[in-house]
Amino acid sequence: MESQVNWVRGISLRFVVLFVLWTLPVACYVAIGAFAIYQTGWFYKIVWLLPGMWGAAWLIGKMWKPPKVHRSFSGKPLSAPSFWTPQDSSAIQIVEDYRREVQDIDSQTIMDLNRYIRDAQILAERLAKHYHNRTRDEFFHPLTLVEILAVIHLAAEDLEQWVLESIPGSDLATIGQIKRLPKVVNALDVVQKVVYVGSAVLNPAKMLAYPLWRKSANVTVELQNELIRGFYQRFLRQLGYYLIEMYSGRLRSGSRRYRSKFSEMSEVAHEFDRGETSIDDLDDLSTTIAVMGQVNAGKSSLVNALLHNQVATTNVLPETRSVTRHQYSVPGSNNLVTLLDTPGYDEADVSRDQLAEIQKAAETADMILLVMAANSSARDADRQMLDEVAAVYEQNRKLKPPSVIVVLTHIDLLRPVREWDPPYDWRQPHALKEESMAAAVQYAGELFGDKVSDYACVYTGTDHPIDSGTLDDVVSQMVAHLDHGHGAAILKAFYRKLSDDRFKTLKNQVFQLFKAVR
């Protein structure tokens, strides 16, 4: 019993000595500083400063409530890169909704690893239902082991980079030190109380402001929790991004190949501090533009006008008899695109052979120029063709559908027929000819709706002189949708390469396994 008493006394004496050594210098500085200020005559002028600032901090903290985690979004919401499909883009809302629903997090729960696993599982289940309509027990069934590991690797790697760049001392503080941080904060709180009480000896009026000072200190805790919320929102955002990539099938070849192909474009979409990056600089892959339309719609004239004064290499698209390919340099861009000149289809219907050719061109195309005669109202075959293109990509949702630009030709035959004084601005019509062009575009828009991305009006005939700007409308639309088309081209090339390498990868895996068991 006596030994226990001596031990307690030893502990108490040790605590008192250390406490005095820590607080005595601070108390001395406060006393000397207060005396110096008193000597200058400024003491009574600035004595209100501390309680005034604490009062302002308490009032702001009271009126400006800290947002919950679902309101603490770090940077912009998750956005779709150019190579994402419509199904991928619609999955963004699932991620954002979950970020709003997730429970609040603070300094105590941030260290709970089960919290990360649970939220990751819930988000993966919701995305699995979106992509594969899987139940809770089956949401892992369509996935490979490589895809699951790739998500973990990519999300953790991105989060690691963000922590290194954004959190001071993250490369120095150990887990043990972080776990001791609440104790350190409590110890500092005790020191602050002692210093405050000690300084009140020189100014007893400060004791009246003590409750206000304690409430203002909560603002620091709120700021700390806000930083923690931002970190966790970053985790959810990166996790959601790569879960979308996983369910889309783009992680099937592993994180290394994904990084080499998509990392720069994906950074545009989910990095907070990056501006938009042009797709022109990301890949040397050629974008394919299919020119389609009815017989006598002016399709061949448009192709000839686009290729004017250009040396074009021409061959036949594989697996077709009459779809020819031309190399075309888009004016005002460094991109070299491939133009597919497809056979014209009949006004009333699309034959089976024509349909096969069109389907093959649609599968290959990253952008479609759908050529129509502006003076004709026969659009049934065009509508059937667009339905077939939509069906091709509905059956293969992992690919990005091409942008469809309707190009209205024969605009010289619109009313008033005898009037011809280009250039014409049909988007802001003033002349009768411009109003007729705008009406033709409006009619096509009512028929096709959101199946068409944009419209252009051109003249490529021989009855009137063709000025240098006759193709400006269609070229400007091609340039505007070039990033979308290039993203679709990269996606197709990725899956094509993935399919070609599948057998080679399997062979190497079997060989490595055989070597390991020998």
Side-chain angles (χ1 to χ4, degrees):
M1 183 70 178
E2 184 178 355
S3 61
Q4 292 181 350
V5 172
N6 292 333
W7 180 80
V8 171
R9 288 176 178 173
I11 292 295
S12 302
L13 181 61
R14 178 179 179 275
F15 176 78
V16 170
V17 171
L18 293 178
F19 181 78
V20 170
L21 290 176
W22 273 99
T23 58
L24 187 59
V26 177
C28 290
Y29 285 134
V30 171
I32 295 172
F35 180 75
I37 294 175
Y38 178 79
Q39 289 291 96
T40 61
W42 282 84
F43 184 81
Y44 294 103
K45 295 181 180 180
I46 66 173
V47 70
W48 59 269
L49 187 60
L50 284 178
M53 293 295 101
W54 291 331
W58 173 79
L59 185 62
I60 292 174
K62 199 74 174 176
M63 298 177 63
W64 188 357
K65 296 294 183 182
K68 297 295 183 182
V69 68
H70 63 271
R71 296 176 58 192
S72 297
F73 285 91
S74 300
K76 299 181 294 184
L78 184 63
S79 57
S82 64
F83 58 85
W84 271 16
T85 67
Q87 189 177 29
D88 299 333
S89 299
S90 61
I92 291 176
Q93 193 60 44
I94 297 175
V95 177
E96 294 300 309
D97 287 345
Y98 187 70
R99 292 178 68 196
R100 294 183 178 91
E101 296 172 13
V102 72
Q103 295 180 355
D104 210 355
I105 193 166
D106 54 26
S107 58
Q108 301 299 322
T109 56
I110 192 67
M111 299 299 294
D112 182 9
L113 295 180
N114 292 326
R115 170 71 182 269
Y116 293 83
I117 297 173
R118 183 175 66 252
D119 285 340
Q121 182 177 355
I122 295 174
L123 187 54
E125 289 175 1
R126 295 189 181 185
L127 290 171
K129 188 173 182 180
H130 172 74
Y131 278 90
H132 303 293
N133 196 25
R134 298 281 179 169
T135 63
R136 179 175 182 178
D137 297 332
E138 299 177 336
F139 75 95
F140 273 134
H141 287 194
L143 305 174
T144 65
L145 182 60
V146 169
E147 289 175 303
I148 297 172
L149 293 174
V151 168
I152 298 172
H153 176 212
L154 291 167
E157 191 176 49
D158 279 4
L159 203 60
E160 173 201 11
Q161 187 63 29
W162 181 77
V163 168
L164 279 171
E165 295 175 355
S166 306
I167 301 181
S170 57
D171 57 335
L172 300 175
T174 65
I175 295 297
Q177 292 168 341
I178 294 174
K179 285 186 175 181
R180 289 195 297 269
L181 190 59
K183 297 180 180 179
V184 175
V185 172
N186 292 335
L188 290 175
D189 186 59
V190 172
V191 172
Q192 284 182 321
K193 291 178 181 178
V194 172
V195 171
Y196 188 90
V197 173
S199 63
V201 174
L202 300 175
N203 181 22
K206 290 181 65 177
M207 291 302 298
L208 299 176
Y210 179 78
L212 192 62
W213 173 74
R214 290 304 302 162
K215 290 182 178 180
S216 66
N218 292 333
V219 177
T220 305
V221 178
E222 292 174 2
L223 293 175
Q224 172 187 320
N225 288 337
E226 189 65 20
L227 178 62
I228 292 172
R229 294 185 192 107
F231 169 81
Y232 199 71
Q233 281 293 327
R234 174 73 184 207
F235 162 73
L236 292 176
R237 179 177 179 162
Q238 296 301 100
L239 177 67
Y241 183 90
Y242 289 118
L243 284 174
I244 292 175
E245 294 292 81
M246 178 182 71
Y247 282 116
S248 70
R250 288 186 285 273
L251 299 184
R252 190 160 295 173
S253 60
S255 59
R256 181 177 300 177
R257 179 173 293 182
Y258 173 83
R259 284 286 195 206
S260 66
K261 198 67 178 178
F262 295 109
S263 61
E264 190 170 352
M265 284 187 291
S266 63
E267 284 173 358
V268 173
H270 66 263
E271 288 292 338
F272 295 110
D273 53 355
R274 290 180 180 267
E276 290 295 327
T277 299
S278 175
I279 303 299
D280 294 355
D281 304 327
L282 300 183
D283 203 286
D284 195 27
L285 190 67
S286 175
T287 304
T288 300
I289 303 177
V291 184
M292 301 180 175
Q294 298 181 25
V295 176
N296 298 324
K299 180 176 58 63
S300 298
S301 298
L302 176 64
V303 172
N304 291 336
L306 289 173
L307 296 175
H308 182 62
N309 291 334
Q310 293 196 32
V311 178
T313 57
T314 306
N315 56 10
V316 178
L317 184 69
E319 302 181 16
T320 66
R321 294 175 299 173
S322 53
V323 178
T324 55
R325 296 191 293 191
H326 309 274
Q327 296 301 311
Y328 171 63
S329 179
V330 181
S333 172
N334 295 327
N335 289 79
L336 186 67
V337 305
T338 299
L339 282 181
L340 297 183
D341 188 2
T342 64
Y345 45 86
D346 296 333
E347 180 180 292
D349 195 8
V350 182
S351 68
R352 181 174 298 179
D353 292 340
Q354 291 171 336
L355 185 59
E357 300 273 296
I358 290 170
Q359 287 177 337
K360 177 51 61 178
E363 291 174 2
T364 308
D366 309 309
M367 186 188 306
I368 293 177
L369 300 182
L370 181 54
V371 183
M372 304 178 185
N375 62 324
S376 173
S377 60
R379 299 283 185 259
D380 289 342
D382 297 321
R383 187 158 47 188
Q384 182 183 355
M385 193 277 296
L386 284 178
D387 289 340
E388 293 297 334
V389 172
V392 168
Y393 287 89
E394 181 65 25
Q395 294 173 2
N396 200 351
R397 293 189 177 185
K398 67 181 182 180
L399 296 180
K400 190 178 184 70
S403 298
V404 178
I405 301 173
V406 167
V407 182
L408 295 174
T409 60
H410 301 310
I411 57 175
D412 58 316
L413 301 180
L414 295 175
R415 293 182 299 177
V417 177
R418 294 186 178 181
E419 176 191 323
W420 185 248
D421 187 21
Y424 291 107
D425 183 7
W426 60 268
R427 289 181 173 83
Q428 296 180 339
H430 298 289
L432 293 177
K433 179 75 79 173
E434 292 173 338
E435 292 177 356
S436 296
M437 294 163 61
V441 171
Q442 182 179 1
Y443 174 69
E446 293 172 353
L447 286 177
F448 305 125
D450 57 4
K451 294 179 182 178
V452 172
S453 304
D454 226 316
Y455 297 86
C457 296
V458 299
Y459 172 73
T460 56
T462 57
D463 295 337
H464 303 283
I466 300 179
D467 58 38
S468 58
T470 187
L471 295 177
D472 285 351
D473 200 7
V474 66
V475 169
S476 64
Q477 293 301 324
M478 291 167 63
V479 171
H481 293 273
L482 206 55
D483 275 6
H484 178 104
H486 200 61
I490 290 175
L491 203 55
K492 287 173 183 165
F494 176 78
Y495 283 117
R496 188 165 54 247
K497 179 69 173 175
L498 187 63
S499 178
D500 293 342
D501 290 350
R502 188 166 297 162
F503 177 77
K504 180 181 178 181
T505 301
L506 180 61
K507 184 180 68 173
N508 291 337
Q509 290 171 339
V510 172
F511 179 72
Q512 293 298 329
L513 180 62
F514 177 76
K515 286 178 60 178
V517 299
R518 286 186 59 185

